[in-house]
Amino acid sequence: QVQLVESGGGLVQAGGSLRLSCSASGGALSTYAVGWFRQAPGKEREFIAIISRRGGDTDYLESVRRRFTISRDNAQNTVTLQMNSLKPEDTAVYYCAAGIRYFRGRYSSDMSRGADWGQGTQVTVSS
């Protein structure tokens, strides 16, 4: 089991950018596919982006595909989510998760069973 910590959230105006980081302790993040998810008030948690263990394969929620970029630095034990052109509807608590059974292609929710989750970081986009 790996412990995950998200950082980089905050308040930003619509059209702005934020860079979220997911760091790990208690294990090498390089051994896991890592995903980003978000949960807005009153809504279920939804998948945002995922990256394979070596970083060669990614998948995104369609509504963020052209605005968000997931990347990883296995030497630094971190996974990053660069978010550009933010919209008020992107407001949510953002979580990273590791241990997802993703290798390539499209993500499906059953891949996240048994994953380890961070505590989340709040992203608020004002209009």
Side-chain angles (χ1 to χ4, degrees), residues 44-59:
E44 294 188 354
R45 186 162 56 190
E46 68 175 348
F47 162 76
I48 296 298
I50 193 162
I51 189 165
S52 60
R53 287 184 295 174
R54 295 186 178 182
D57 293 275
T58 59
D59 192 26

Side-chain angles (χ1 to χ4, degrees), residues 6 35-48 61 92-97 107 109 112-120:
E6 302 92 341
W36 283 97
F37 301 76
R38 67 186 180 189
Q39 187 167 19
K43 295 187 177 181
E44 294 188 354
R45 186 162 56 190
E46 68 175 348
F47 162 76
I48 296 298
L61 177 70
V93 178
Y94 283 69
Y95 301 88
C96 65
Y107 166 83
S109 60
S112 295
R113 289 190 190 133
D116 297 318
W117 296 84
Q119 294 299 307

